Amino acid sequence: MLILLCVFALAALLLPLLVAAIGARAFAVAALVPAAAFAHALLLTPQVLAGAADPRRTPAESVDWIPQLGLALSFRMDELSWLLTLIVTGVGALVLLYCRWYFRGAKAGIGQFAAVLLAFAGAMYGLVTTDDLVLLVMFWEVTSILSYLLIGHYHRRGGSRRAALQALLVTTLGGLAMFVGVVFLAVDAGTSSISRILAHAPAGPLADAAIVLLLVGALSKSAIFPFHFWLPGAMAAPTPVSAYLHAAAMVKAGIYLIARFAPVFAMSGPWRPITISLGVLTMLLGGVQALRETDLKRILAFGTVSQLGFFTVVLGYGTSDAILAGLALVISHALFKSALFLIVGVIDRQLSTRDLTEISGLGRQAPLLATAGFLAIGSMIGFPPTIGFVAKEATLAALYDEALRGSPWAIVALAGTILGSILTAAYGARFLWGAFWRKRDRRPGARSGYLPDTEWPMPPFGFLVSPVLLATGTIVLGAAAPAIDAALYGYADDATALGFDGEELAPGHLALWHGFAPALFLSVGAILIGLALFLLLQRIGWDRRRRLLPFTAQDAYYLAMRGLDRLSVATTAFTQRGSLPVYVGTIFVVVIAAEATALLAGGPADARLSAWHTPMQLVVAPIMIAAGILATRARKRYTGVVLVSVTGLGMVVLFGTSGAPDLALTQILVETVTLVTFALVLRRLPSRMGEHNASVGRVPRAILGVAAGVMIALVAIVATGSRVAAPISEAFPELAYDLGHGKNVVNVALVDLRGWDTMGELSVLVLAATGVASLVFVTHRADRLSAMKALPEGPRRARRRPLVETTQGVRVQTAGDTAPRAWLVGGGNVKPENRSILLEVIVRILFHTIIVVSIYLLFAGHNAPGGGFAGGLVAGMALFMRYIAGGRWELGAAAPTDAGRLLGTGLILAVGSAVVPLLFGLGPLTSAVWEADVPVLGHLEFVSSTIFDIGVYLVVIGLVLDVLRSLGAEVDRQTAEMRARGVDI
């Protein structure tokens, strides 16, 4: 199972490349992955069924993940997981095959769509097979994120973006509540293993609170009232998404969670009141609204809401026979509802409409499609001999028997189920009438009694394969009811819930015919009444009348979001006044208050002070102190920045004389890059401080500054004197050599021993680059530098000419131009008074040497001073030099690629080097070393952590390039545009 999850992930990453190569046909190839998982689950069937009698024989896998927390990558396939796996992978394979024709001819975005859809299938596979609650929550949230991307596939449409965000917010908030419940349950049970929790279920107030929070997550995911409104809105997604996520997969996640915990927790106090009351209400709300819709897809959407309420009632009741019937309902719904959504997709693709008022006589022109639709609707309303009939009869029988025992919740559930079945038959008939029947012509002055038949372009046969197979499956599985009963009986029989009168109940049996039982008459009566209701509502035109309530849950959601937006604006206006001193002062006040509280509460400290450790401190420290004091007295901004840099350069000397060359190298590079970055920013600010807004409150600022400095000094003194154990760093030299295969302890610690810390720092760098760019690129982040990178063909030295800015864009000066050759291709665009030929020559000579030095530092850093961070900063300095010498045009010619690609590639390499060892059963970030003796070159070694370091190298270069292109090139461009418009800057 773990291998299959990795295959899902890898295939999803490679799928965009395959789509780019062969187009929509790649969907058929992608379908092989869930098909393989489906086949694997079928092969495990004997073991799964054997595990019902002996749990030790149940297929299971487990790999330690975080042993300290008792977390493991554990997967287990019992009957319930097996059933959901077959649904998720089987329907997923057919939907991906269907996409082969649904997206025929489409190009934009289908590579990403295919990858996300396949990744979603993998996430659902992991969700239904995992045996760890924490891992389940992770898969749960992954499905929410991926569904957001799938629903918002048509991202240029405002409706799609709103629907995607709505689905994400509702399901994610429910998932967060569920996570709190998972923590409660895991703490109360002493384990996060689902199987062990269910085997020794905790009880009491904490367990009840955990169950309520778990149900919040399940109900939000499965669109149960009051969370039901997000599902109809999600119909903005492409139809294959609706067929998979909203019929067979995502909405089944909440139902799966209810089915998983119902056998054990159905008798707990809050369980049945929540599941049955909300389930009945959802069933009726969805059914009533489905009868008002004219969009075929929205009819199915509200029908899905109603059906999900139905499942919640039946599975939530929790007795053995109810669970068996509920699982049969889940099977039938996955088949008929996904088939119906795919049928609507064919209609929409061929006719470019889903409005039932615009479709007439389609059944006679598309008999195969209509037959599939009739079979699917027959299963939905419970018409024999479909699996829907089997499941519905078993449901009514289970609830009827419990109602006869006097259970009030069974009476509520039975009454709600009968009313819901009536509505199901009514909107099922409405769907068939809307999609395939001839419509009467109700237009004023119409001569004919019926609308003309809608012209039907015949679709490719392959387009019909998936819906026809799914619809046919409802008949096949109806006939195979005894086999399904045998497969699911063991799970239902494990339910410990008792009947209302305390009698232990054995599950009923699934069969196509039980005789003339009360459940049969109830089922037939609901169908007949539902058909009569449909005819009555058609006659009175109920779908065209005003709705009963003046508002919907959707309106309440948007009202709440508008209120939240206004509160956010008010809060931001109150706290974010646009004053940097206020922000910094607030931070300092909080730091001082928090640290002072900790120091006072900690009691007396054992301060161990020395006047100095090396004579160099006596020389450097006074200079740093003087520079810091003078910086507070500086009147020019640049002077202040330079003086602050002096303190940083003083740290370089201290590091260098204290045996820390790596830190010294990094510190001097950071100080240099920071100084240049400040210089770029200060170009757009007045040179003197207080020129526009005079500095006020100098005394309070001075007091606050001194207090912050003193507090940090006290914290450092107390922290260094509070150690009670030997520092872990004492073992770093030995660990660096034995585990990291390197002699440079600092670099090995960054990429191996403390690699997770570095991973977090890389994320911070990416966020910093994005934040800096977002401050400058207000409307977009298009890479304007890429237009400046083209050079003429042929030998560079013979034909190298400067870039020339024209009204049509950027071009390279040709040999026929009179201007001389340039050392730098962008130098010709620099104003003569700002141009330095000497600087251009120096930069031209040194640039490539500096890049080589940066690469040397990258690869030498494992055993000598250097590393990816230092090497990236050196390469960044080379880019700074090119920009300073030739402006933004020269930066465009020097930039290796877009900054975003460098950032993304570096992060992928770093994450990949952490994840790949898991495929070999090792811990994340485990290093491997390859050694070889090569003629001439001698003995060579390569450590896998070097790949991580390369990722760091690329991220740092990407950060520097993003700073240059935003604070440098983009600011230059904006300044040039403003001057061209005559704006005085």
Side-chain angles (χ1 to χ4, degrees):
M1 289 176 273
L2 185 57
I3 293 177
L4 280 172
L5 270 175
C6 295
V7 171
F8 271 107
L10 182 61
L13 291 174
L14 298 178
L15 197 52
L17 302 177
L18 187 61
V19 171
I22 62 176
R25 289 174 293 176
F27 283 102
V29 179
L32 296 176
V33 179
F38 181 85
H40 176 257
L42 285 180
L43 292 175
L44 291 178
T45 301
Q47 294 176 252
V48 171
L49 299 183
D54 183 3
R56 291 173 298 179
R57 300 178 64 182
T58 301
E61 298 173 5
S62 182
V63 177
D64 285 342
W65 180 27
I66 309 178
Q68 296 85 346
L69 299 179
L71 299 180
L73 302 176
S74 58
F75 300 89
R76 188 171 181 271
M77 190 174 287
D78 62 358
E79 299 98 313
L80 181 60
S81 296
W82 172 79
L83 172 63
L84 268 296
T85 296
L86 291 177
I87 290 174
V88 167
T89 57
V91 177
L94 290 175
V95 169
L96 282 166
L97 181 64
Y98 174 89
C99 290
R100 155 70 181 89
W101 287 276
Y102 185 86
F103 288 103
R104 65 187 188 278
K107 294 183 179 179
I110 64 169
Q112 176 183 324
F113 176 88
V116 175
L117 186 60
L118 185 60
F120 180 89
M124 279 301 305
Y125 177 78
L127 189 151
V128 300
T129 56
T130 183
D131 189 46
D132 189 272
L133 272 176
V134 176
L135 203 58
L136 184 143
V137 172
M138 294 176 63
F139 283 120
W140 190 280
E141 296 301 340
V142 168
T143 58
S144 293
I145 295 170
L146 295 177
S147 70
Y148 166 78
L149 298 175
L150 291 170
I151 295 170
H153 172 66
Y154 300 120
H155 57 87
R156 296 184 182 276
R157 304 175 185 175
S160 294
R161 296 195 300 271
R162 288 191 296 271
L165 181 60
Q166 178 178 269
L168 178 68
L169 290 176
V170 173
T171 57
T172 301
L173 289 176
L176 291 175
M178 187 183 78
F179 179 63
V180 177
V182 164
V183 173
F184 286 174
L185 195 58
V187 170
D188 199 14
T191 179
S192 61
S193 170
I194 298 175
S195 57
R196 277 183 276 175
I197 289 174
L198 296 178
H200 307 283
L206 184 60
D208 287 345
I211 289 302
V212 171
L213 292 171
L214 284 177
L215 286 176
V216 171
L219 299 179
S220 65
K221 199 77 162 183
S222 291
I224 304 300
F225 181 88
F227 309 107
H228 63 289
F229 56 88
W230 72 261
L231 181 55
M235 294 303 106
T239 300
V241 174
S242 303
Y244 189 43
L245 273 67
H246 309 135
M250 179 178 173
V251 293
K252 291 291 195 304
I255 301 302
Y256 164 76
L257 197 65
I258 293 173
R260 176 61 73 190
F261 287 92
V264 175
F265 291 102
M267 299 299 291
S268 65
W271 183 277
R272 281 180 178 168
I274 293 175
T275 57
I276 294 177
S277 60
L278 295 181
V280 168
L281 181 58
T282 305
M283 193 185 339
L284 300 180
L285 280 176
V288 169
Q289 187 59 35
L291 291 168
R292 299 183 59 87
E293 297 294 331
T294 58
D295 186 313
L296 292 174
K297 199 172 175 182
R298 286 181 64 84
I299 292 176
L300 296 180
F302 281 103
T304 301
V305 170
S306 180
Q307 293 287 315
L308 292 171
F310 190 12
F311 305 154
T312 303
V313 170
V314 179
L315 289 169
Y317 194 77
T319 58
S320 301
D321 49 356
I323 288 174
L324 181 62
L327 295 181
L329 284 172
V330 170
I331 297 173
S332 64
H333 182 266
L335 293 174
F336 71 68
K337 192 53 67 74
S338 54
L340 290 172
F341 271 118
L342 295 182
I343 288 170
V344 171
V346 175
I347 294 173
D348 189 18
R349 190 72 166 79
Q350 299 302 109
L351 301 181
S352 299
T353 182
R354 301 190 303 257
D355 192 334
L356 57 82
T357 62
E358 300 176 1
I359 303 172
S360 179
L362 193 59
R364 295 185 298 179
Q365 301 181 72
L368 183 61
L369 194 67
T371 302
F374 272 81
L375 290 177
I377 291 294
S379 183
M380 185 174 76
I381 68 176
F383 200 83
T386 63
I387 183 63
F389 167 75
V390 174
K392 185 178 176 184
E393 188 180 18
T395 297
L396 293 173
L399 296 178
Y400 180 79
D401 291 342
E402 273 292 281
L404 288 181
R405 290 186 173 91
S407 170
W409 285 115
I411 296 172
V412 173
L414 180 62
T417 298
I418 293 173
L419 290 175
S421 298
I422 293 172
L423 293 173
T424 300
Y427 68 71
R430 178 174 174 78
F431 176 86
L432 290 177
W433 169 81
F436 302 111
W437 239 259
R438 293 185 69 193
K439 311 294 192 308
R440 290 191 176 275
D441 193 348
R442 302 184 183 276
R443 294 173 296 181
R447 298 180 180 180
S448 174
Y450 293 92
L451 290 171
D453 288 352
T454 304
E455 184 178 350
W456 175 248
M458 189 60 66
F461 177 75
F463 203 10
L464 305 178
V465 168
S466 293
V468 169
L469 285 178
L470 290 167
T472 305
T474 62
I475 298 288
V476 174
L477 293 185
I484 297 175
D485 177 79
L488 302 180
Y489 187 89
Y491 184 79
D493 191 37
D494 288 339
T496 59
L498 304 176
F500 176 70
D501 54 4
E503 178 187 355
E504 177 123 11
L505 302 175
H509 287 279
L510 300 176
L512 194 56
W513 179 250
H514 284 287
F516 293 100
L520 176 64
F521 294 107
L522 291 174
S523 179
V524 173
I527 293 175
L528 294 177
I529 296 174
L531 295 177
L533 177 63
F534 162 70
L535 295 175
L536 175 63
L537 295 180
Q538 283 295 106
R539 183 175 295 275
I540 65 175
W542 189 68
D543 58 333
R544 297 186 294 274
R545 298 192 176 189
R546 296 180 59 185
R547 61 191 183 195
L548 299 178
L549 296 177
F551 64 92
T552 63
Q554 185 99 328
D555 298 329
Y557 164 80
Y558 284 122
L559 181 63
M561 293 304 297
R562 284 195 295 271
L564 183 62
D565 290 341
R566 291 172 181 171
L567 178 62
S568 300
V569 171
T571 303
T572 303
F574 177 76
T575 59
Q576 302 293 315
R577 298 302 183 94
S579 173
L580 182 60
V582 171
Y583 302 155
V584 177
T586 302
I587 294 172
F588 283 163
V589 168
V590 172
V591 169
I592 293 170
E595 299 299 341
T597 302
L599 290 177
L600 293 175
D606 182 16
R608 304 170 186 174
L609 302 178
S610 299
W612 68 84
H613 293 93
T614 64
M616 185 58 67
Q617 292 176 345
L618 296 175
V619 178
V620 175
I623 298 175
M624 296 172 64
I625 294 171
I629 295 174
L630 291 175
T632 64
R633 304 291 299 169
R635 291 292 174 265
K636 290 188 176 182
R637 286 185 168 85
Y638 189 75
T639 303
V641 169
V642 172
L643 288 171
V644 170
S645 295
V646 171
T647 62
L649 295 175
M651 289 301 302
V652 172
V653 177
L654 294 179
F655 285 146
T657 56
S658 300
D662 264 292
L663 296 180
L665 175 63
T666 303
Q667 178 71 22
I668 192 170
L669 291 172
V670 168
E671 285 296 332
T672 306
V673 171
T674 303
L675 182 61
V676 176
T677 302
F678 267 112
L680 294 177
V681 174
L682 294 179
R683 294 182 302 168
R684 300 298 299 270
L685 296 176
S687 61
R688 299 186 67 84
M689 298 182 186
E691 187 170 320
H692 293 311
N693 298 290
S695 178
V696 295
R698 293 185 178 181
V699 174
R701 292 186 187 186
I703 295 174
L704 183 60
V706 171
V710 170
M711 184 57 60
I712 297 299
L714 289 175
V715 168
I717 293 172
V718 172
T720 54
S722 300
R723 187 182 299 280
V724 295
I728 191 175
S729 58
E730 291 181 358
F732 272 24
E734 183 179 353
L735 292 174
Y737 189 79
D738 293 339
L739 298 182
H741 311 286
K743 299 177 182 178
N744 184 351
V745 179
V746 174
N747 185 256
V748 174
L750 289 175
V751 300
D752 193 314
L753 304 181
R754 301 296 297 270
W756 285 118
D757 294 348
T758 307
M759 192 82 71
E761 293 165 3
L762 289 181
S763 302
V764 172
L765 288 178
V766 173
L767 290 175
T770 304
V772 169
S774 65
L775 294 174
V776 178
F777 294 89
V778 179
T779 58
H780 60 83
R781 286 197 61 187
D783 181 20
R784 297 177 182 272
L785 295 179
S786 60
M788 310 173 192
K789 294 161 66 173
L791 286 174
E793 297 180 358
R796 284 174 174 259
R797 184 171 298 179
R799 303 184 58 186
R800 187 174 182 86
R801 301 291 174 176
L803 294 172
V804 179
E805 185 175 8
T806 67
T807 56
Q808 289 79 25
V810 183
R811 69 176 178 85
V812 180
Q813 185 173 309
T814 62
D817 294 327
T818 57
R821 297 174 186 170
W823 279 95
L824 299 179
V825 293
N829 291 290
V830 180
K831 291 184 177 181
E833 61 270 23
N834 296 333
R835 188 176 182 185
S836 171
I837 300 300
L838 180 60
L839 181 60
E840 290 188 22
V841 172
I842 294 174
V843 169
R844 173 65 175 163
I845 293 173
L846 294 181
F847 176 77
H848 299 90
T849 304
I850 295 175
I851 295 296
V852 172
V853 170
S854 76
I855 297 174
Y856 167 77
L857 289 174
L858 166 63
F859 288 102
H862 209 64
N863 294 291
F869 193 79
L873 287 175
V874 171
M877 289 302 303
L879 294 175
F880 268 116
M881 292 170 56
R882 292 286 290 267
Y883 169 73
I884 293 172
R888 66 187 191 275
W889 309 107
E890 186 59 35
L891 178 62
T897 184
D898 179 35
R901 294 178 181 175
L902 287 172
L903 292 169
T905 303
L907 202 56
I908 289 173
L909 286 176
V911 174
S913 65
V915 173
V916 167
L918 295 175
L919 304 178
F920 300 93
L922 303 173
L925 285 172
T926 301
S927 295
V929 60
W930 293 273
E931 301 183 55
D933 291 317
V934 180
V936 180
L937 297 178
H939 184 74
L940 297 180
E941 294 183 5
F942 181 81
V943 184
S944 60
S945 59
T946 304
I947 300 174
F948 187 97
D949 223 9
I950 294 173
V952 175
Y953 179 79
L954 294 178
V955 168
V956 173
I957 295 177
L959 172 65
V960 173
L961 184 57
D962 223 355
V963 169
L964 281 172
R965 66 188 288 267
S966 54
L967 298 180
E970 180 64 11
V971 169
D972 290 345
R973 188 193 63 79
Q974 293 177 7
T975 302
E977 286 186 356
M978 294 172 68
R979 285 173 175 165
R981 294 196 303 266
V983 178
D984 185 15
I985 57 173

